[in-house]
Amino acid sequence: MKRKSISKDHYGYIFIAPFILVFLGFALWPIINTFYLSLTNMHFINHMGFGVSPDFIWFANFTDLFGDPVFRRALTNTWMLWLGNFIPQMLLALTLAAMFSSTTFRLKGTGFFKAMYYLPNILMPVTIAALFMHYLTFHGPINTFLVSTTGILSEPRDFLNLITDSRVAVMFVQTWMWFGQTAIVLVAGMTAISPSYYESAMVDGASQVRMFFTITLPLLKPILLFVLVTSLVGGMQMFDIPLLLSDGPLGPPDMAVLTVNMFMNARRAAPAFAIGSAAAISVVLFFISSFIALILFRLFRTDEQKELSKLAKKRKGATQ
């Protein structure tokens, strides 16, 4: 008798089913539920007790948010703190990546330096915050050095309770934490560029600086886009370092380091327990990040992608 062949056409679905189930349960459903809660007056506790069904208030949470000066301040602080750490982080990471991947410098022990630069990224934020709080306190080593050793300051400075100083401290810590990872990603992108481009440019007499701006940066667009988008998403969710370096949820005077995530946590936690309002903040962050990311994808398109887009438009016009 002829054996019946076992069909393996659907085996792929069986293997990807666990991922799909986990994604639906722990990623997609929380996103959908957040959008739902943002349209309600959901609270953990109210005068009726526990477990009260929320009422739909539609876009009232969003109008209240944008009418709240504290939320607007938190949004401004978030952008300020992110840009203040991302710009120096990128400049430092690009410089280090160019030196590590350069055939001219021929640095030795690059593996050791990469590990050292990446080390802050694997430390717990609580540990980093405790370290810098010790350095920046009123009687910490930095004040001791600036007052007693060098005499730059006449008296100790309370860095973490001053508006400008606390912002600079958060920016510096964020830059110190993440520039190593950014540099390693950029090194991986630079080493993937064919050496033939640089050899041809060197034959034509191009300098290292010109090769960097005319060869490295244009061919590094996809990696730069990845770094920029991931940093943007992480920056909009900045929470741990500003919170740990500040005194309480609102931070130093004038709420200098209050971020959107800190404000959302204050709305979610006691005594507010305003889950609907906190969900609305998450939705606002989602749309801001998505909108900026789409703009970045548009700006960082490669020449091949632009040509493909033009061809698609021509074909569409020809069919019409």
Side-chain angles (χ1 to χ4, degrees):
M1 294 178 62
K2 188 177 181 181
R3 292 185 177 181
K4 294 182 178 179
S5 60
I6 300 175
S7 177
K8 299 180 181 180
D9 296 341
H10 305 295
Y11 277 22
Y13 296 107
I14 297 174
F15 285 108
I16 65 173
F19 166 77
I20 293 175
L21 293 175
V22 171
F23 174 78
L24 292 176
F26 294 96
L28 185 61
W29 167 244
I31 293 174
I32 296 173
N33 192 46
T34 300
F35 275 85
Y36 161 73
L37 291 174
S38 69
L39 303 175
T40 68
N41 61 350
M42 176 67 178
H43 281 68
F44 271 142
I45 302 174
N46 62 15
H47 67 282
M48 299 288 290
F50 293 92
V52 179
S53 299
D55 298 323
F56 271 102
I57 56 175
W58 298 106
F59 298 103
N61 284 326
F62 297 95
T63 55
D64 291 343
L65 276 181
F66 287 103
D68 189 345
V70 179
F71 174 73
R72 295 198 300 269
R73 183 56 183 270
L75 194 60
T76 303
N77 286 344
T78 303
W79 277 101
M80 185 187 305
L81 294 174
W82 175 66
L83 289 173
N85 82 79
F86 177 74
I87 294 174
Q89 176 193 147
M90 280 298 298
L91 293 176
L92 184 58
L94 278 171
T95 304
L96 291 173
M99 292 174 63
F100 288 154
S101 59
S102 174
T103 57
T104 304
F105 288 103
R106 300 183 184 277
L107 296 177
K108 296 181 179 180
T110 57
F112 171 78
F113 288 110
K114 289 176 186 178
M116 289 297 100
Y117 293 145
Y118 188 76
L119 183 61
N121 189 248
I122 63 177
L123 296 176
M124 293 294 292
V126 175
T127 307
I128 295 173
L131 175 68
F132 279 93
M133 284 184 72
H134 170 68
Y135 285 148
L136 297 170
T137 51
F138 201 72
H139 300 290
I142 293 180
N143 269 317
T144 302
F145 176 77
L146 294 176
V147 176
S148 303
T149 307
T150 62
I152 295 176
L153 296 179
S154 58
E155 59 182 14
R157 190 178 181 90
D158 196 0
F159 294 103
L160 297 178
N161 283 310
L162 296 173
I163 295 174
T164 303
D165 294 6
S166 59
R167 286 173 176 167
V168 172
V170 172
M171 294 173 188
F172 177 80
V173 174
Q174 291 287 131
T175 302
W176 181 74
M177 283 180 62
W178 293 101
F179 84 94
Q181 180 185 3
T182 305
I184 290 175
V185 173
L186 293 176
V187 167
M190 289 181 183
T191 53
I193 299 174
S194 175
S196 59
Y197 295 112
Y198 299 103
E199 292 169 359
S200 300
M202 290 173 67
V203 170
D204 293 336
S207 64
Q208 290 289 332
V209 175
R210 183 164 186 180
M211 286 191 290
F212 178 78
F213 284 102
T214 58
I215 299 175
T216 305
L217 283 184
L219 295 178
L220 208 60
K221 271 187 178 182
I223 304 297
L224 292 174
L225 176 63
F226 169 78
V227 171
L228 189 54
V229 171
T230 52
S231 178
L232 169 69
V233 174
M236 293 300 100
Q237 299 176 2
M238 198 183 305
F239 174 75
D240 41 18
I241 295 299
L243 179 66
L244 294 168
L245 287 180
S246 61
D247 297 330
L250 297 183
D254 201 27
M255 298 174 289
V257 296
L258 175 67
T259 63
V260 176
N261 252 14
M262 291 170 63
F263 180 73
M264 179 175 63
N265 186 64
R267 297 295 297 162
R268 174 199 63 81
F273 286 123
I275 304 303
S277 178
I281 297 172
S282 297
V283 173
V284 170
L285 280 180
F286 171 80
F287 280 113
I288 291 175
S289 302
S290 301
F291 179 72
I292 302 298
L294 289 174
I295 294 176
L296 293 174
F297 276 108
R298 181 78 177 179
L299 292 175
F300 278 77
R301 288 188 305 170
T302 60
D303 294 335
E304 292 80 2
Q305 291 172 332
K306 291 178 182 179
E307 291 297 328
L308 289 174
S309 178
K310 290 179 182 179
L311 288 173
K313 289 180 180 179
K314 289 180 179 179
R315 290 177 181 176
K316 186 177 180 181
T319 54
Q320 290 177 352

